[in-house]
Amino acid sequence: MSDRPLDLAIRQAPELHYIDLSELKISNCTGCFGCWTRTPGKCVIRDDAPRVYPYIAKSEEVVYITKVIYGGYDTIMKTMLERAIPIQQAFIRIHRGETHHIQRNVAPKKATIIAYGSTDPEEQDLFRQLVARNACNMNFASHEVIFTTEEMIDNTVNNILKQWETSSF
Amino acid sequence: MGNIFILNGSPRASKSNSKQYAEIFSKNYLQETIYKAISKTNQVQLCRELSHYSDVLFVFPLYADALPVGLLHFLKTLETNLPEHKPTVSILINCGFLEPEQNEVAVKIIHLFCRRNGFPIGSTLMLGSGEAILKSPFKYIAIRNIRKLAKCIASGNHQTIQATMPLPKFLFRLAANKYWTKYGQKFGITKKQMQTMETEG
């Protein structure tokens, strides 16, 4: 799932799904709690986000490609991550010693976050802290953050895809 | 101590807990407070208005472990529309979880923005159990700490404060689950329906 178009070496594989968020219409979460209390598991805003969060839920491996701003996800990726709240319940569990929301059918996943647009070590450290927090709330069984430049994004993603292809077949 | 501009970064704006927190703050801040909600259409105007204040207080909920995206858009707008006079930035953040420290990354994001853009950093209140605390017997804890935040900002003796319901985690979990069950009942949705493991697709 990327916040910009990618030139992928592999586009077609039965277990691979590529989402370019920059070409989708996804509006901001309004915080209505509808996906928890009115239509559980389903967002009441019927734009492109409901086509995306089911993939987030069922994937055992995710690769997110995002620009970094102020040590966090830039707006395109952040908008989608907020709209993925329907895959959680309102109800609370105790997970890794903290209170967190119960996940619906969300596969534990290996997450790789490819982050570009940041060369500042302080900002990179903050982004790592954010992803570690996400791990608790987004069911990451393991996670890795890779910082790269905008020019190197395609290469970085394609290297990960090659590794995935090798390990899958 | 000067006048303070309170900016609500919650997507729920008029229906938000953040608005209620802002109201409690206003009652406890001795100088004039001006409250506005950040929207898609007023951001450049808000950037201009910031120049008139010695302090700004961002009030917002934690969303996906960080700032709500509307507030993030505002910071990006602010970076390209910097006011001549930069007010001191204070924060009143709340999360629905028991642990106020789950707000720390969001606070650091705003502080990084401040350092990059020359805004002095003021005080912070990180609230846990922020979705329900005002409707609970522990409302007084929220009020007491918001009052403390107001005093810190007014005196310029800046601090970072944390507050939450004084409950063990298992009891908080039970209380939160009761709260959400009642919330669903208002819409005719049962606890079992809310507990569905299915999402669409």
Side-chain angles (χ1 to χ4, degrees), chain B residues 83-102:
Chain B
E84 276 182 32
H85 164 74
K86 290 169 186 162
T88 300
V89 175
S90 291
I91 299 166
L92 199 174
I93 181 172
N94 83 89
C95 67
F97 305 119
L98 181 63
E99 302 83 11
E101 59 271 22
Q102 292 207 38

Side-chain angles (χ1 to χ4, degrees), chain A residues 27-33 36-43 46 50 53-54 57-58 69-75 78-79 81-82 85-87 89-94 97-105 118 120 122-123 126 129-130 133-135 137-138, chain B residues 11-12 40 63-70 72-73 75-77 79 96-99 101-105 108-110 112-113 115-117 131 169-170 172-173 176-181 183-185 187-191 193-201:
Chain A
S27 58
N28 294 358
C29 174
T30 60
C32 70
F33 297 133
W36 288 348
T37 61
R38 293 179 209 211
T39 55
K42 196 173 171 183
C43 183
R46 305 315 290 170
Y53 59 71
K58 64 188 170 194
I69 187 160
Y70 319 133
Y73 299 95
D74 204 348
T75 46
K78 185 62 169 51
T79 302
L81 293 177
E82 290 182 9
I85 293 300
I87 68 175
Q89 297 178 10
F91 300 113
I92 296 288
R93 63 175 174 160
I94 298 169
E98 290 180 334
T99 55
H100 294 284
H101 290 289
I102 294 173
Q103 307 276 319
R104 300 193 198 274
N105 278 335
S118 173
D120 173 3
E122 182 193 5
E123 183 172 42
L126 181 51
Q129 290 177 46
L130 172 61
R133 275 256 146 252
N134 294 158
N137 286 312
M138 300 178 184
Chain B
R12 291 163 63 84
K40 279 185 179 170
Y63 262 47
D65 301 307
L67 316 186
V69 76
L72 188 56
H73 277 290
L75 293 185
K76 289 172 73 171
T77 305
E79 191 161 42
F97 305 119
L98 181 63
E99 302 83 11
E101 59 271 22
Q102 292 207 38
N103 296 305
E104 275 174 2
V105 168
K108 287 179 183 176
I109 286 172
I110 293 198
L112 182 64
F113 168 86
R115 281 196 295 278
R116 285 208 178 148
N117 292 286
E131 168 61 25
K169 292 180 199 301
F170 79 95
F172 174 79
R173 181 173 62 82
N177 292 354
K178 194 173 166 189
Y179 171 86
W180 285 111
T181 302
Y183 204 114
Q185 281 169 355
F187 305 108
I189 302 295
T190 64
K191 183 176 183 183
Q193 286 172 310
M194 287 175 68
Q195 286 175 314
T196 180
M197 295 303 276
E198 299 306 315
T199 53
E200 59 195 303

Side-chain angles (χ1 to χ4, degrees), chain B residues 119-133:
Chain B
F119 286 86
I121 294 171
S123 295
T124 296
L125 170 57
M126 292 188 270
L127 272 177
S129 60
E131 168 61 25
I133 196 167

